[in-house]
């Protein structure tokens, strides 16, 4: 399940709550060249690497998808998908629209969810409140929202994050409903 949406919309909080409630789900840990924010842990929030190392890994085809976002590289390592598959777990990818479109090309069975803020103004407030971005970075993140918004109809579902518990409930319902689609049930059904 791919979850995208603008920076500051609360994707991280929603994914964390979702994982606590749905035991079959794991979250993919991305690799990035951006600096860790205060409190972020290497190997848990991201794998933090240098640009050189990231580009070496691109050459070695180590990413399912990768993209440049706000001047930094971000990518989903193949190893994250393989680990989840081996354990028989479903995987949540919290990635931008460029990455989501690459996943859509590769995995027809993916489920794509876009998280929207209640309004543009609310998004600006949330980015400012987080206090981790400088004014230039806040501006970049708002501009990027305009770009990402253009891809909204490529997604299967849109969830407006006006209240965290409600938004989590909606994503959970999407996950549950998708698990009941005939092609997914028949794959593991032992009736034959
Ligand atoms: P942040 O720096 O705020 O953690 O993330 C910035 C943006 O990069 C967010 O939109 C986030 O979803 C996206 N992102 C995080 N990991 C990946 C990844 O592995 N691939 C892609 N394409 N985007 C990612």
């Amino acid at each position: 399940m791919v979850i995208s949406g603008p920076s500051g919309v609360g994707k991280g909080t929603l994914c964390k709550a979702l994982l606590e409630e749905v035991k079959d789900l794991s979250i993919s840990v991305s690799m990035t060249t951006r600096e860790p924010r205060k409190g972020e842990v290497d190997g848990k929030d991201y794998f933090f690497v240098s640009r050189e190392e990231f580009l070496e890994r691109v050459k070695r085809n180590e990413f399912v998808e990768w993209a440049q976002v706000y001047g930094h590289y971000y990518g989903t390592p193949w190893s994250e998908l393989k680990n989840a598959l081996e354990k028989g777990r479903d995987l949540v990818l919290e990635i931008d629209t460029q990455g989501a479109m690459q996943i859509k090309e590769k995995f027809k069975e993916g489920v794509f969810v876009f998280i929207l803020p209640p309004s543009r103004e609310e998004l600006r407030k949330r980015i400012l409140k987080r206090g981790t971005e400088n004014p230039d970075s806040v501006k970049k993140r708002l501009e990027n929202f305009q770009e990402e918004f253009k891809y909204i109809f490529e997604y299967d579902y849109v969830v407006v994050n006006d209240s965290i518990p409600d938004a989590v409930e909606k994503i959970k319902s999407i996950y549950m409903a998708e698990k009941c689609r005939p092609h997914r049930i028949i794959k593991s059904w032992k009736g034959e």
Side-chain angles (χ1 to χ4, degrees), residues 47-109:
F47 295 106
F48 297 99
V49 295
S50 66
R51 283 178 83 88
E52 292 70 31
E53 181 174 345
F54 191 97
L55 294 171
E56 268 307 309
R57 287 175 184 269
V58 169
K59 268 194 215 150
R60 293 201 297 263
N61 272 324
E62 287 186 23
F63 296 110
V64 191
E65 61 72 36
W66 66 276
Q68 200 170 7
V69 193
Y70 314 122
H72 301 291
Y73 292 115
Y74 294 82
T76 305
W78 273 108
S79 53
E80 291 294 297
L81 256 78
K82 280 191 193 133
N83 287 345
L85 204 70
E86 275 165 16
K87 293 183 193 147
R89 299 174 69 81
D90 292 317
L91 193 65
V92 175
L93 272 64
E94 195 230 291
I95 60 177
D96 86 322
T97 47
Q98 304 173 71
M101 294 308 107
Q102 295 173 46
I103 297 289
K104 204 174 163 183
E105 274 293 305
K106 287 187 176 134
F107 302 96
K108 300 291 171 217
E109 286 198 12

Side-chain angles (χ1 to χ4, degrees), residues 19 22-28 84 87 89-93:
L19 255 67
V22 186
K23 297 297 167 208
D24 293 340
L25 275 176
S26 292
I27 190 138
S28 162
K87 293 183 193 147
R89 299 174 69 81
D90 292 317
L91 193 65
V92 175
L93 272 64

Side-chain angles (χ1 to χ4, degrees), residues 149-165:
F149 192 78
K150 292 179 188 158
Y151 289 90
I152 205 156
F153 287 105
E154 298 290 336
Y155 285 75
D156 302 308
Y157 301 94
V158 176
V159 171
V160 177
N161 185 16
D162 41 15
S163 120
I164 292 169

Side-chain angles (χ1 to χ4, degrees), residues 3 5-7 11 30-31 34 37 40 46 65-67 69-70 74-76 94-96 98-100 130 133 141 148:
I3 300 192
S7 176
K11 288 172 302 207
S30 296
M31 201 165 272
R34 87 146 158 74
R37 291 192 187 116
E40 282 184 334
Y46 281 105
E65 61 72 36
W66 66 276
V69 193
Y70 314 122
Y74 294 82
T76 305
E94 195 230 291
I95 60 177
D96 86 322
Q98 304 173 71
R130 194 162 68 177
E133 314 304 328
R141 278 159 205 267
E148 296 213 287

